[in-house]
C-alpha cells in the first residue's frame, strides 16, 4: 500500500463549534491562520430543531467572538453534518473519505454541560461521543494530534490537590460504561462512591479513562478547563 501523501496545510476537525468553547477555538484558529499554515477547519454540526447544519452555522458566523475575523474567513470553514453519538459520528462514508486524508488535528470540544441529565443521556453526550471521535481519529492517516476537552471537575471536591493524572475510580470504567448502555447503572450509587456531584462530571471522568484505555497509537491530549 502506498504511503499517504502528507498534507501541505494544517486541516483541523472541530466539534462543538456552536457552543462557547468551540466558537472561541474557531476564532483563535482563524486569527492564527498564517502561523498555523491553516488549510481548512472542518466543523461538525448536527441538525437541531428543524435547522440544518448550515443554518446553525450561520448563527455562529454572526456571533460577537467572530466579529473581528478577517474578511473571507468562511472560505476556510467546511461544514460537516453529523451526530457525535452515532457510529462514525454520523458522518457519511463519502464525507469521511473526503475529509479524513486531509486532517492533521482534531479538537473535540462538544459536550453536554447539563448537570441534571439522566446518566444514559449524559453518557451519550460525554462518553459515546468522545469514543466515536477517537475512532474517527484512528482513520486519519495524517493525524498529528487529537485534543479532547474535559473539565477540571472530573476531580471531585474532596480530592486535593488535582494532579495532571487520571482520577482514580473505584470501579472498572469499561464495565460501568457497559452497565450504563444496558440501563443497569444506578447513577446515585455511582456518584456516591466517586464523590461526583452530578452526571456531567461523572461521565466526563469515565470518558477520560476510556479515551486513555482505547487510544492505541492515536496521539491524544486531554485538557481540563475550569469554570468558563
Amino acid at each position: 500500500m502506498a504511503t499517504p501523501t502528507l498534507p501541505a496545510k494544517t486541516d483541523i476537525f472541530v466539534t462543538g463549534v456552536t457552543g462557547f468553547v468551540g466558537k472561541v477555538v474557531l476564532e483563535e484558529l482563524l486569527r492564527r491562520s498564517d502561523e498555523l499554515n491553516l488549510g481548512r477547519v472542518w466543523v461538525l454540526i448536527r441538525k437541531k430543531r428543524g435547522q440544518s447544519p448550515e443554518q446553525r452555522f450561520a448563527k455562529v458566523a454572526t456571533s460577537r467572538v467572530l466579529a473581528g475575523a478577517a474578511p473571507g474567513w468562511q472560505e476556510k470553514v467546511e461544514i460537516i453534518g453529523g451526530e457525535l453519538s452515532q457510529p462514525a459520528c454520523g458522518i457519511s462514508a463519502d464525507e469521511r473519505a473526503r475529509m479524513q486524508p486531509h486532517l492533521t488535528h482534531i479538537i473535540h470540544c462538544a459536550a453536554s454541560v447539563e448537570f441534571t441529565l439522566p446518566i444514559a443521556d449524559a453518557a451519550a453526550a460525554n462518553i459515546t461521543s468522545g469514543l466515536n471521535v477517537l475512532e474517527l481519529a484512528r482513520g486519519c492517516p495524517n493525524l498529528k494530534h487529537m485534543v479532547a476537552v474535559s473539565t477540571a471537575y472530573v476531580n471531585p471536591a474532596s480530592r486535593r490537590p488535582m494532579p495532571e493524572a487520571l482520577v482514580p475510580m473505584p470501579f472498572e470504567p469499561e464495565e460501568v460504561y457497559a452497565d450504563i448502555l444496558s440501563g443497569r447503572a444506578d447513577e446515585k450509587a455511582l456518584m456516591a462512591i466517586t464523590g461526583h456531584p452530578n452526571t456531567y462530571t461523572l461521565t466526563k471522568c469515565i470518558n477520560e479513562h476510556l479515551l486513555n484505555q482505547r487510544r492505541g497509537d492515536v496521539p491524544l491530549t486531554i485538557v481540563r478547563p475550569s469554570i468558563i
Side-chain angles (χ1 to χ4, degrees):
M1 181 180 294
T3 302
T5 302
L6 292 176
K9 294 281 189 177
T10 299
D11 272 35
I12 304 174
F13 179 78
V14 181
T15 70
V17 77
T18 59
F20 179 78
V21 174
K23 288 188 186 78
V24 173
V25 168
L26 177 60
E27 188 279 333
E28 181 159 357
L29 294 176
L30 294 168
R31 176 163 42 85
R32 298 174 59 190
S33 178
D34 291 342
E35 173 191 348
L36 298 173
N37 192 28
L38 189 66
R40 281 173 290 184
V41 181
W42 305 71
V43 298
L44 185 139
I45 301 177
R46 64 187 173 99
K47 296 179 182 178
K48 187 176 181 181
R49 300 191 182 99
Q51 291 189 318
S52 69
E54 291 76 16
Q55 288 171 322
R56 295 189 68 200
F57 184 75
K59 293 185 178 181
V60 174
T62 60
S63 60
R64 289 180 61 188
V65 71
L66 290 165
W73 66 266
Q74 293 192 47
E75 296 176 7
K76 287 185 173 290
V77 177
E78 188 87 19
I79 301 166
I80 299 291
E83 168 54 67
L84 288 171
S85 63
Q86 296 178 2
C89 299
I91 304 172
S92 71
D94 287 346
E95 286 284 72
R96 294 198 309 274
R98 184 171 71 90
M99 175 182 69
Q100 285 178 297
H102 295 280
L103 294 184
T104 57
H105 297 77
I106 291 175
I107 305 175
H108 176 44
C109 301
S112 173
V113 294
E114 293 184 45
F115 297 155
T116 58
L117 278 180
I119 195 166
D121 295 335
N126 300 324
I127 303 176
T128 303
S129 294
L131 296 177
N132 287 341
V133 174
L134 180 67
E135 289 308 308
L136 185 78
R138 212 181 301 283
C140 299
N142 295 304
L143 190 73
K144 297 179 180 179
H145 212 143
M146 172 179 166
V147 174
V149 179
S150 185
T151 172
Y153 298 97
V154 294
N155 291 276
S158 59
R159 295 183 183 272
R160 297 293 187 275
M162 297 182 182
E164 292 186 9
L166 293 174
V167 177
M169 305 203 83
F171 49 70
E172 170 51 50
E174 288 280 5
E175 293 178 5
V176 169
Y177 179 49
D179 286 345
I180 295 171
L181 294 179
S182 68
R184 296 191 304 267
D186 183 333
E187 65 183 59
K188 290 183 179 178
L190 289 172
M191 289 188 289
I193 63 173
T194 64
H196 289 98
N198 51 62
T199 56
Y200 167 66
T201 59
L202 173 62
T203 53
K204 292 294 276 188
C205 190
I206 295 172
N207 183 56
E208 286 192 5
H209 280 265
L210 296 185
L211 286 175
N212 186 63
Q213 288 174 198
R214 299 186 184 190
R215 63 188 293 181
D217 58 359
V218 173
L220 174 70
T221 296
I222 296 171
V223 296
R224 293 172 173 166
S226 57
I227 294 174
I228 299 173

